[in-house]
Coordinates of all heavy atoms in Angstrom, one line a residue:
E161 N 279.2 -146.3 84.9 CA 279.1 -144.8 85.4 C 280.4 -144.2 85.1 O 281.5 -144.8 85.4 CB 278.8 -144.9 86.8 CG 277.3 -145.3 87.1 CD 276.9 -144.9 88.4 OE1 277.7 -144.5 89.3 OE2 275.7 -145.0 88.7
T162 N 280.4 -142.9 84.5 CA 281.6 -142.4 83.8 C 281.7 -140.9 84.1 O 280.8 -140.2 84.0 CB 281.6 -142.7 82.3 OG1 281.5 -144.1 82.1 CG2 282.8 -142.1 81.6
I163 N 283.0 -140.4 84.3 CA 283.3 -139.1 84.3 C 283.8 -138.7 82.8 O 284.7 -139.4 82.4 CB 284.3 -138.7 85.3 CG1 284.0 -139.0 86.7 CG2 284.9 -137.2 85.1 CD1 282.9 -138.1 87.3
V164 N 283.2 -137.7 82.3 CA 283.6 -137.3 80.9 C 284.2 -135.9 80.9 O 283.6 -135.0 81.6 CB 282.5 -137.4 79.9 CG1 282.8 -136.9 78.6 CG2 282.0 -138.9 79.6
D165 N 285.4 -135.7 80.2 CA 285.9 -134.4 80.1 C 286.1 -134.1 78.6 O 286.7 -134.9 77.9 CB 287.3 -134.4 80.9 CG 287.5 -133.0 81.5 OD1 286.6 -132.3 81.8 OD2 288.7 -132.7 82.0
F166 N 285.7 -133.0 78.2 CA 285.8 -132.5 76.8 C 287.0 -131.5 76.7 O 287.3 -130.7 77.6 CB 284.7 -131.6 76.4 CG 283.3 -132.3 76.6 CD1 282.1 -131.8 77.2 CD2 283.1 -133.7 76.0 CE1 281.0 -132.4 77.4 CE2 281.9 -134.3 76.1 CZ 280.7 -133.6 76.9
K167 N 287.8 -131.7 75.7 CA 289.1 -131.0 75.5 C 289.2 -130.5 74.1 O 288.9 -131.3 73.1 CB 290.3 -131.8 75.8 CG 290.3 -132.3 77.3 CD 290.6 -131.2 78.2 CE 290.7 -131.7 79.7 NZ 290.9 -130.5 80.7
Q168 N 289.6 -129.3 73.8 CA 289.9 -128.9 72.4 C 291.4 -128.9 72.5 O 292.2 -128.8 73.5 CB 289.3 -127.5 72.2 CG 290.3 -126.3 72.8 CD 291.4 -125.9 71.8 OE1 291.2 -125.8 70.6 NE2 292.5 -125.5 72.4
A169 N 292.0 -129.1 71.3 CA 293.5 -129.3 71.1 C 293.8 -128.6 69.7 O 293.1 -128.8 68.7 CB 293.9 -130.7 71.2
N170 N 295.0 -128.0 69.7 CA 295.3 -127.4 68.5 C 296.0 -128.4 67.5 O 296.0 -128.2 66.3 CB 296.5 -126.3 68.8 CG 295.9 -125.1 69.4 OD1 294.8 -124.7 69.3 ND2 296.7 -124.4 70.3
R171 N 296.4 -129.5 68.0 CA 296.9 -130.6 67.2 C 296.6 -131.9 68.0 O 296.4 -131.9 69.2 CB 298.4 -130.5 66.9 CG 299.3 -130.3 68.1 CD 300.6 -130.3 67.8 NE 301.5 -130.0 69.0 CZ 302.8 -130.4 69.1 NH1 303.2 -131.2 68.1 NH2 303.5 -130.1 70.1
P172 N 296.6 -133.0 67.3 CA 296.4 -134.4 67.9 C 297.2 -134.6 69.2 O 298.4 -134.2 69.1 CB 296.7 -135.4 66.9 CG 296.3 -134.6 65.6 CD 296.9 -133.2 65.9
K173 N 296.8 -135.2 70.2 CA 297.6 -135.4 71.4 C 298.1 -136.9 71.4 O 297.6 -137.8 70.9 CB 296.7 -135.3 72.6 CG 295.9 -134.0 72.8 CD 297.0 -133.0 73.4 CE 296.4 -131.7 73.8 NZ 297.2 -130.7 74.2
R174 N 299.4 -136.9 72.0 CA 299.9 -138.2 72.4 C 299.6 -138.5 73.8 O 299.4 -137.6 74.6 CB 301.4 -138.1 72.3 CG 301.9 -138.0 70.8 CD 303.5 -137.9 70.7 NE 304.0 -137.7 69.4 CZ 305.2 -137.5 69.1 NH1 306.1 -137.6 70.1 NH2 305.7 -137.2 67.9
E175 N 299.5 -139.8 74.2 CA 299.0 -140.2 75.5 C 299.9 -139.6 76.5 O 299.5 -139.2 77.6 CB 298.8 -141.6 75.6 CG 298.0 -142.0 76.9 CD 297.3 -143.3 76.8 OE1 297.9 -144.2 76.0 OE2 296.3 -143.6 77.5

Side-chain angles (χ1 to χ4, degrees):
E161 292 200 346
T162 302
I163 299 287
V164 173
D165 218 19
F166 304 128
K167 301 290 185 184
Q168 81 86 41
N170 293 327
R171 56 175 174 153
K173 296 288 187 183
R174 294 181 185 173
E175 193 156 27

